[in-house]
Amino acid sequence: MTSNYRSWPMILALGVVTIPLVLMYVYLFVDTVTNTAPGSVVPHEFTGEHWRFLWETLPGRPSIYVATLNTFVFATATTLIVLAISSTAGYAISRLNVPFRAFFLAGVMVLHAFPTVTLIIAIFLILQFIGLYNTLIGVILVKAALELPFGIWIMKGFYDTVPWEIEMAGIQDGASRLTVWRKLVLPQVMPAVMALGIFSFLAGWSEFILPLVLAPDNKVQVLSVYLAALIADDNNFDMALFKSVGVFYVVPVIIMFLFFQGKLMSIYGGGTKG
Amino acid sequence: MLRASPDGEAMSGSRILGLLLLAPAFVFVVLFFLAPVVLTAVFALTNMSTATGITGGAYQVTQSAMRELGERHGEQALADALARVRYTVDPAGIDAATAEGASTALVSELDRKLAGESFDSRRELERAIKALDNRPRGTRALKSLSALFERSIVNTRFATEEEFFGAVAGLGIELNATQRAALLATTYTGWTWTSENFSRMFSLPDTKRTFLNTIIYVFATLIVFNTGFALVLSIVTHYMPDRPAGIFRAIWLLPRISPPVLYVLLWKWLAWDTGFLSRILVPLGFESRNWMLDNPTNAWVFIVLINGFVGASMGMLIFSAAIKSIPVSLFYASEVDGANRWQQVRYVILPQLRWPILFITCYQSLSLLTSFEYILLATEGGPGGATKVWALAAYLTALNNYAGNLEYGYGAALALVLVVVGVILSLAYLRLFDFKSLVAPPPIEQ
């Protein structure tokens, strides 16, 4: 914008700081299809052997496809629950004269600011007690619940931007508040619902601690736990294999991010990670 | 008054609908937030662990229980009496003798002469058996017979208090009230109420270290990256042409969108013994080593980098948006006045970023305080506990430790401290950011 200043020193300086990050991600992809001699940083041959986990099950691990399916079910179910509940609760908090409205909102804010992993000890014992330990249902319910305050908060923010005139007009025409919400307001916030959905899906796809603690078994294992277990196994150390599994795991994330970048930015601005 | 119906009806309609729409969220929040918070507080006051189980327990005379009985309750005599092995000629023993093939004559004589008698040692019992008319022939037979009458309550589990005291009475031990209480306290294998978790927390030197680690972790990451470097990123990209600025922002978003397991794997690849850093540095005369876990200083550098690279992007997005909203005329005016770039940053940009910086600082201090995922994946608190922060300590104590005995109670007590600090901080931040304006009453009902 202000062309009175030269920009190349800036680009150069920031470029230097950014190099480690670029290196890490470039080598992530390069190492999955090449071999590098020990002590060297330049690969010397192409190979497909690091992708062998796609056609053979690694010893002691579930099939990669079972893990992928589990991850998909986990992320999708979490997303649906979060969308359904936060689009209704967000509307109630934003627009309806609910008793204790301020109290609800304060509660949501406190919970949202509170990444809740501190509660995992109690949740672990609760799930053991009610028999949902080591099941996908248990970990889905917990993940959805932990995403909810954020979802409600975001949806409330988007409902707040819908002009009151739309609702006034609907009510003037004799529609009930429920109909107004469904027919008039919801279509207005559809982009927000989409963005929240994508965000929740990616959050579910990336989640590690909850499945690790609440559903570690092979048959309900998700990709993050699968990959972490692979890395933690000191007897079979194979960095290129880890990276290949990692790329397999991250590709859906990258694709979704490239497609929905604009939508996601509106939410990452209010991010949830440290 | 916007509807044909009276005000009151419109109000209550909206109220009921609102409650209905809120109900599912409310159920979830109660089940998975309030219940865990309350239960965390409850568990914090117990000694629950893998050893005690989470449901209930039994009564069992174990070696450690007897040691405790002697040392903490001063009942060494009782402990010795309970731990002593006795030889009692009881119906169960006589039946066993029959089953083992002892002669009918011997069995009936045992029953007649020795039934109900108790001996303090095996030798006394064997002397009594030897005195019988139909005594077994040979030492071997005698030994195997006497073994059948060995009686001890050590390591036997009793489901209820009555059964347990019954068995103790069966040994011929009489208990007074204090002895009963002491015995119950030491032999119960289930969890019990205790405030020991907190006294332990305050007395352990480990706690102080974890506390200091947490402070270092939160402040170093927050100041250097989450606000500091985020500011640099947003200001520097602001002064760039759009294309390189977009590329830099996209690259710096990568850590945030990458799943943590993969992201930390990349750092491990960088730092591993045979990793990238070693490969570059070995030809320069450095020794090959694990740069991340080599020593505490290195571990801290990596922990701050790993968390900071993720944290910087949120500040970058928010600060960039705030800089964009500064009227361009301010920049032009400052340039006309001859401001250099530094003066422009100092007097035009930074004053406009006061609130975003405050917001990021508050918000991320809370996130950092309770986050441990990246540390768990990168160093697991090592080397030697050097990077163990409070949240990680709670997690490791309760859910994943090397000793194998998961201490739910103590872990919950550690987590409870975080819950309390988190709630206090977020209430303070709510006050700071003017909560009232967020809940202005809906105009449709006014």
Side-chain angles (χ1 to χ4, degrees):
Chain A
M1 165 195 37
T2 44
S3 51
N4 290 4
Y5 305 118
R6 277 166 310 179
S7 59
W8 67 263
M10 293 278 180
I11 298 181
L12 197 68
L14 194 54
V16 170
V17 185
T18 312
I19 283 176
L21 210 47
V22 175
L23 274 178
M24 284 196 282
Y25 281 90
V26 168
Y27 271 95
L28 167 65
F29 290 94
V30 169
D31 280 354
T32 62
V33 288
T34 59
N35 276 329
T36 308
S40 165
V41 291
V42 186
H44 66 272
E45 63 176 3
F46 283 100
T47 175
E49 62 168 349
H50 306 311
W51 290 85
R52 64 182 177 278
F53 65 90
L54 287 181
W55 52 87
E56 60 188 51
T57 302
L58 300 173
R61 313 268 161 237
S63 150
I64 188 86
Y65 298 106
V66 170
T68 309
L69 181 68
N70 284 338
T71 316
F72 184 76
V73 170
F74 173 65
T76 312
T78 313
T79 304
L80 292 179
I81 296 177
V82 168
L83 285 187
I85 296 182
S86 43
S87 60
T88 53
Y91 182 67
I93 292 185
S94 166
R95 289 299 167 93
L96 299 172
N97 194 18
V98 196
F100 308 116
R101 186 161 156 271
F103 174 78
F104 277 121
L105 193 57
V108 166
M109 284 193 69
V110 170
L111 295 177
H112 166 39
F114 196 116
T116 59
V117 133
T118 43
L119 309 175
I120 197 166
I121 299 166
I123 290 176
F124 170 74
L125 295 179
I126 293 176
L127 287 197
Q128 289 220 323
F129 202 75
I130 60 179
L132 286 179
Y133 177 67
N134 251 333
T135 62
L136 270 182
I137 297 179
V139 73
I140 286 170
L141 289 177
V142 173
K143 175 67 180 168
L146 299 192
E147 287 279 315
L148 264 186
F150 177 69
I152 295 174
W153 183 242
I154 290 281
M155 286 312 296
K156 187 246 175 218
F158 282 111
Y159 281 124
D160 283 350
T161 65
V162 176
W164 274 102
E165 287 72 23
I166 292 179
E167 266 163 282
M168 300 278 196
I171 286 177
Q172 205 80 292
D173 291 345
S176 72
R177 290 295 295 264
L178 185 65
T179 319
V180 167
W181 169 64
R182 242 167 16 97
K183 295 269 172 65
L184 297 179
V185 182
L186 210 49
Q188 295 285 321
V189 295
M190 250 328 162
V193 173
M194 277 280 285
L196 181 62
I198 295 160
F199 180 84
S200 299
F201 186 87
L202 290 182
W205 191 267
S206 303
E207 179 62 47
F208 170 60
I209 297 277
L210 290 178
L212 173 75
V213 173
L214 305 176
D217 256 20
N218 270 0
K219 61 182 193 309
V220 288
Q221 207 165 70
V222 295
L223 282 171
S224 57
V225 180
Y226 177 97
L227 180 57
L230 212 58
I231 298 171
D233 182 0
D234 291 334
N235 298 323
N236 299 301
F237 183 79
D238 184 350
M239 187 55 90
L241 172 70
F242 304 161
K243 284 189 170 181
S244 307
V245 175
V247 168
F248 177 82
Y249 173 40
V250 81
V251 157
V253 176
I254 293 179
I255 292 175
M256 285 187 83
F257 191 77
L258 289 180
F259 268 95
F260 302 108
Q261 196 179 4
K263 281 200 165 47
L264 279 171
M265 283 306 170
S266 62
I267 287 201
Y268 274 116
T272 53
K273 289 200 228 180
Chain B
M1 62 273 160
L2 286 162
R3 282 170 54 158
S5 55
D7 282 1
E9 201 179 308
M11 290 276 274
S12 78
S14 138
R15 220 168 249 218
I16 290 167
L17 178 65
L19 288 178
L20 279 179
L21 291 181
L22 269 180
F26 191 70
V27 170
F28 262 83
V29 165
V30 166
L31 271 182
F32 293 103
F33 275 102
L34 292 184
V37 170
V38 172
L39 283 178
T40 303
V42 170
F43 292 151
L45 291 171
T46 69
N47 62 357
M48 241 181 234
S49 68
T50 321
T52 67
I54 53 171
T55 40
Y59 299 90
Q60 194 171 15
V61 175
T62 59
Q63 275 193 351
S64 66
M66 290 306 101
R67 200 176 320 123
E68 208 189 324
L69 189 63
E71 282 168 10
R72 293 188 46 181
H73 299 271
E75 297 281 359
Q76 195 56 51
L78 175 62
D80 290 342
L82 282 167
R84 194 180 305 138
V85 178
R86 249 164 262 275
Y87 292 84
T88 307
V89 184
D90 54 11
I94 291 173
D95 289 347
T98 319
E100 289 283 303
S103 69
T104 336
L106 172 61
V107 170
S108 70
E109 195 179 3
L110 270 175
D111 195 18
R112 206 165 55 241
K113 294 192 177 158
L114 297 178
E117 289 208 35
S118 196
F119 303 88
D120 281 343
S121 74
R122 191 163 181 167
R123 182 173 304 206
E124 284 173 43
L125 170 67
E126 285 173 357
R127 198 175 298 144
I129 295 176
K130 272 192 209 157
L132 297 176
D133 299 336
N134 298 297
R135 62 178 170 274
R137 305 200 187 284
T139 330
R140 197 113 151 272
L142 181 65
K143 290 270 179 227
S144 66
L145 179 64
S146 63
L148 297 174
F149 298 99
E150 186 181 315
R151 293 293 173 267
S152 160
I153 59 166
V154 174
N155 291 334
T156 314
R157 289 175 72 89
F158 300 95
T160 65
E161 216 176 300
E162 290 80 49
E163 266 180 55
F164 178 51
F165 283 133
V168 172
L171 292 175
I173 298 172
E174 305 236 329
L175 299 169
N176 61 33
T178 49
Q179 283 176 327
R180 284 172 88 98
L183 198 53
L184 285 184
T186 50
T187 58
Y188 187 58
T189 62
W191 56 269
T192 50
W193 300 103
T194 173
S195 60
E196 246 168 55
N197 292 327
F198 293 98
S199 48
R200 185 175 153 201
M201 197 188 302
F202 287 115
S203 64
L204 278 185
D206 225 30
T207 314
K208 198 175 147 200
R209 185 166 179 197
T210 310
F211 178 76
L212 291 178
N213 281 347
T214 314
I215 303 263
I216 297 177
Y217 165 65
V218 172
F219 281 92
T221 317
L222 195 63
I223 292 168
V224 179
F225 279 101
N226 291 18
T227 49
F229 189 63
L231 267 179
V232 172
L233 269 178
S234 54
I235 293 175
V236 169
T237 50
H238 168 74
Y239 282 111
M240 279 183 196
D242 284 347
R243 182 166 286 259
I247 293 174
F248 276 120
R249 289 199 193 114
I251 292 175
W252 281 94
L253 260 178
L254 280 174
R256 179 167 290 271
I257 59 166
S258 302
V261 182
L262 175 71
Y263 171 66
V264 174
L265 173 68
L266 297 181
W267 283 93
K268 283 188 168 172
W269 165 79
L270 205 67
W272 221 279
D273 312 43
T274 55
F276 192 77
L277 271 184
S278 291
R279 286 183 186 195
I280 289 190
L281 292 174
V282 166
L284 301 179
F286 289 90
E287 256 179 68
S288 166
R289 54 182 168 145
N290 188 328
W291 292 86
M292 196 190 297
L293 292 171
D294 191 44
N295 61 53
T297 317
N298 279 5
W300 271 116
V301 169
F302 272 98
I303 289 299
V304 171
L305 286 174
I306 290 173
N307 283 283
F309 275 38
V310 176
S313 54
M314 179 176 168
M316 175 186 79
L317 292 179
I318 290 192
F319 298 152
S320 293
I323 293 176
K324 244 196 198 99
S325 68
I326 300 175
V328 186
S329 53
L330 277 181
F331 289 101
Y332 289 141
S334 67
E335 278 165 38
V336 168
D337 290 346
N340 61 28
R341 180 139 47 182
W342 167 244
Q343 285 169 328
Q344 202 171 58
V345 170
R346 172 71 189 79
Y347 297 105
V348 179
I349 296 181
L350 284 183
Q352 300 285 334
L353 290 182
R354 271 228 309 275
W355 278 98
I357 291 174
L358 191 61
F359 171 75
I360 287 286
T361 308
C362 293
Y363 184 89
Q364 302 243 329
S365 61
L366 265 178
S367 313
L368 284 170
L369 189 66
T370 46
S371 77
F372 63 90
E373 199 172 12
Y374 292 103
I375 305 183
L376 174 69
L377 284 164
T379 66
E380 260 192 88
T387 55
K388 197 201 259 182
V389 297
W390 200 280
L392 182 65
Y395 169 82
L396 290 177
T397 307
L399 298 172
N400 175 16
N401 67 33
Y402 298 111
N405 186 27
L406 305 177
E407 297 174 274
Y408 307 132
Y410 187 49
L414 288 172
L416 192 63
V417 173
L418 281 185
V419 172
V420 171
V421 172
V423 168
I424 292 175
L425 281 182
S426 45
L427 288 178
Y429 294 162
L430 276 187
R431 177 155 279 225
L432 189 62
F433 288 101
D434 194 16
F435 176 65
K436 289 242 165 55
S437 67
L438 295 169
V439 283
I444 217 167
E445 254 96 19
Q446 279 169 353

